[in-house]
Amino acid sequence: MAKLISRRDFLKGSAAGAVTLTAGTLVGALTGCGSDAVPVGTTEAAKTTEANRSLYIPGTYTASEKGLESDVTVTMTFDENNITDVVIDASGETDGIGTTTPEPLKKAILEAQSAEVDGVSGATVTSNAVKKAAAKCISQAKGEILSSEEGITAAATEEDWLGAEPEIKDSDIYKEVEADVIIVGLGVAGVSAARSASEAGSTVIGIDGSAAPNCRSGEYAVINSPKLNARWPERALSREEVDEIIDSHVNESSYRVKRSIAKKWADNIGEAFDWWTDADDHLFIADETRQPIDDENADDFLVPIFRPLPSYKDASGQEHVYNWKEERFPCYPTSVEFLPNQSATFTANWNKALDTGHVEAYFGHFGKKLILEDGKCVGVYALNDDPDSADKGKYLKLLAKKGVILATGDYGSNDAAMNHFAPDVMKTHANNRLFTSFDVNGVPTNQGDGLRMGAWAGAKIMGYNAPMIHHMGGGADLSGVGVMGNAGFLNLDVDGNRFMCEDIPGQQLENQIEQTRLMQSWQFFDANWPEQVTHMPAAHGGACYYEDYASIDEAPKNNQTYRNWKSPYQLEEAVLEGRCLKADTLEELAALVYPDDEKAQKQALESIKRYNKLANAGYDEDFHKTPSRLLPIDKAPFYADQFTTAIMLVCIGGLESDEDCHTFTEVTDEQGRKVCGDIIKGLYVAGNMQGGRFGMEYPIGLKGVSHSMAMYYGKVAGENAANEV
């Protein structure tokens, strides 16, 4: 049993030597929603360069994270105020990738005195592992993340996720400021709120623990955008079709969400998205997913996802185009992606807010306590943890004339909160989580601060939280995309048994793999894959288009790869790099997949034989797979790539809310149940702080719906807070 160390005991004993955090293995592939965080530059208020009090507990600290092929270990040495040395062990990573990563990252961390640094080009997975491990070292040195014999975070118990509300005296406050609207958190939701509130004429003060506003990746679900429908008219949806999409969203969340929230978003996101993109004068909008992009637009362009829709020809030559209305798990033709990421458009919106002259921002500031008067939220206390500030360790008191908006994100990097709200997820993903936005001290920003503030203020927290763990396939490359993604080829477990219908989306695929022995499986396909991928559905992360390219140089200019398109050179690279196995016979392939396990080899061959029989019969009586995707494995060469569990990106819960971003008190009814009471005046939520959007699991039929709802409801929260009486 691991010994849990209290913060008090840790601080008493830390001077005697270093305390080591042993991170468990981080396995799985990165996804399109989990690319690097993108901070944007802006002005900061009240920054100084004066000396400040002790920042670290001197000593040497170690942490590990899973890289592309191995554990990456970071050891960091600290004096009272500085990182003095960084040692990175990435020796288990591929030559030319992991082995070249340590020096530039070591230099960057030392120069920045933070884990929030740029990664090494071409080594995304390894770089992220280094940064996450470095962030843990920094947290240990600050006494925030404590170690135990089994690598369990010391504060991670169900009882203490909330802790005591801080008592803040007047002497703890270094400054008092006032505005109409206070926004806590400046990600997508917070920036959208800042722009909408300031454009409504309100003064706004935003705070964030990072050094600047930041965002990640760039997928958005968009329904009936006037601007985009004019370019892509087939994407115009009828009232009935939109209602079907809303119903599907609610159903995928097991009816643990509010239809009113989904409906208001679906009915209004089109015009809101036009408002969002209109801020970016330079944004180039492509007409197809794989359209070549001129150099002048390569740093800021938008593509429609799945345009044109995938199609295939059957044995009679008849063409079949993907039709979401015929799918058990529909993937709607609604989504777009900002490439290379959304930072340009995000920055343009932040600048739009600043240009109003009504917006001020304080970075390196963490919301810690809401201020209530007569049941109304009238402000927030923010802890100044900016290492460059003379007022570090003191509080900024922010008073709101109209309202406070919590947009602080989820709690996925906080073990205590995860153990409390998602204990089953922690059983399989305690060391299999990734977040790439960091605060000024190099710590992941999704710590659940908003939940704690809301709970202390009496707000009700929603139940049935939704972990985002959508599988992107096995044998991932450096960008986190699998060999064939999560396309529905035959999948066998570690004993050679078929265990599921493979024609399912990534979130459901992850759920199935987690139920297998050792939570591992293998995807099998053959030389017919170029034709077979065209039968696959338009699903997030799955191969469903074939391109006959011999190298990346033949691909569209400045738009050379996309997760759903596969070419022969990509498969051959995967084989050469050991991410995919290849053999001339099924017997040889089974021996490679299950070495030293003749029983599993025999069972795998029997499973493939059975699968081929079902495919030839045209009906899957074992798992009821869609007949057009029930394709035999009978032509050499044969291939296999390994599936493990995917990475959890966020765990979405939030405060109970409505379609106007209001929050509600938690009260106990006559039967002793905790239920929603009255609206808390002046307190709004947006982004992953807004409950009622996702429940049980993250639905991915609407790719990018999380970003989309964050932006839209940030806009709603800003407008409503600005109009608060």
Side-chain angles (χ1 to χ4, degrees), residues 337-350:
E337 184 167 3
F338 293 96
L339 292 172
N341 52 58
Q342 65 173 313
S343 61
T345 299
F346 176 79
T347 303
N349 276 275
W350 177 238

Side-chain angles (χ1 to χ4, degrees), residues 36-37 101 104-105 108 115-124 126-128 131:
D36 287 348
T101 300
L105 280 178
E116 188 179 2
V117 296
D118 291 337
V120 176
S121 178
T124 304
T126 304
S127 296
N128 283 338
K131 290 190 288 184

Side-chain angles (χ1 to χ4, degrees), residues 528-703:
N528 287 317
W529 71 267
E531 191 275 331
Q532 291 180 353
V533 295
T534 64
H535 291 245
M536 301 301 174
H540 183 53
C544 54
Y545 298 89
Y546 174 70
E547 293 175 325
D548 191 11
Y549 296 151
S551 74
I552 195 171
D553 295 333
E554 298 180 16
K557 183 180 181 181
N558 293 320
N559 192 11
Q560 294 173 305
T561 61
Y562 201 83
R563 64 187 69 90
N564 305 103
W565 273 257
K566 299 298 177 182
S567 287
Y569 80 89
Q570 293 171 306
L571 177 57
E572 292 309 311
E573 283 182 356
V575 172
L576 289 172
E577 294 169 2
R579 296 184 288 110
C580 183
L581 302 178
K582 178 181 179 181
D584 291 328
T585 68
L586 287 171
E587 289 77 13
E588 291 173 356
L589 185 62
L592 291 173
V593 171
Y594 306 103
D596 305 320
D597 191 342
E598 293 184 2
K599 183 178 179 181
Q601 293 174 26
K602 181 178 179 181
Q603 181 56 51
L605 293 172
E606 287 297 320
S607 296
I608 294 171
K609 181 179 179 180
R610 169 68 176 171
Y611 182 77
N612 287 346
K613 180 179 179 181
L614 297 172
N616 291 328
Y619 184 77
D620 184 5
E621 60 185 65
D622 293 345
F623 291 96
H624 198 210
K625 189 173 185 175
T626 303
S628 63
R629 296 162 194 157
L630 187 64
L631 303 165
I633 301 172
D634 56 13
K635 182 180 179 181
F638 302 97
Y639 302 89
D641 57 275
Q642 188 177 33
F643 282 32
T644 56
T645 53
I647 288 173
M648 190 199 85
L649 300 177
V650 292
C651 196
I652 306 173
L655 302 182
E656 288 283 1
S657 180
D658 62 14
E659 66 274 19
D660 291 317
C661 301
H662 294 126
T663 58
F664 298 85
T665 59
E666 181 181 90
V667 297
T668 304
D669 69 5
E670 295 178 354
Q671 300 179 46
R673 299 174 302 182
K674 302 294 184 181
V675 299
C676 284
D678 296 330
I679 288 174
I680 301 176
K681 293 182 179 180
L683 183 60
Y684 298 85
V685 284
N688 285 339
M689 272 303 300
Q690 183 185 16
R693 299 177 308 137
F694 307 109
M696 304 303 287
E697 67 182 27
Y698 180 70
I700 53 177
L702 287 161
K703 297 176 301 302

Side-chain angles (χ1 to χ4, degrees), residues 204 226 231 236 259 297 303 313 366 370 376 399 477 494 539 608 630 668 719:
V204 176
R231 299 179 67 103
R259 193 181 191 280
N297 299 313
V303 299
K313 291 184 178 180
F366 299 77
L370 296 173
K376 179 178 180 179
L399 297 176
D477 60 16
V494 294
I608 294 171
L630 187 64
T668 304
E719 292 168 346

Side-chain angles (χ1 to χ4, degrees), residues 50 79 126 163 199 265 296 328 344 412 423 498 581 614 620 636 658:
E50 298 178 26
D79 63 20
T126 304
E199 288 181 346
W265 165 80
E296 64 186 51
R328 300 172 190 165
R498 189 179 178 212
L581 302 178
L614 297 172
D620 184 5
D658 62 14

Side-chain angles (χ1 to χ4, degrees), residues 122-204:
T124 304
V125 179
T126 304
S127 296
N128 283 338
V130 170
K131 290 190 288 184
K132 190 170 183 182
K136 286 186 175 180
C137 290
I138 292 170
S139 292
Q140 291 179 65
K142 289 171 66 66
E144 296 172 345
I145 295 181
L146 313 178
S147 73
S148 69
E149 295 172 4
E150 296 178 1
I152 302 173
T153 303
T157 65
E158 182 175 298
E159 291 75 23
D160 67 0
W161 79 270
L162 182 59
E165 184 176 26
E167 296 182 5
I168 300 171
K169 305 183 293 293
D170 288 344
S171 59
D172 297 326
I173 299 168
Y174 79 90
K175 186 177 182 180
E176 182 176 308
V177 295
E178 185 180 63
D180 294 327
V181 177
I182 305 298
I183 301 172
V184 187
L186 292 172
V188 169
V191 166
S192 179
R195 182 183 165 196
S196 66
S198 62
E199 288 181 346
S202 287
T203 56
V204 176

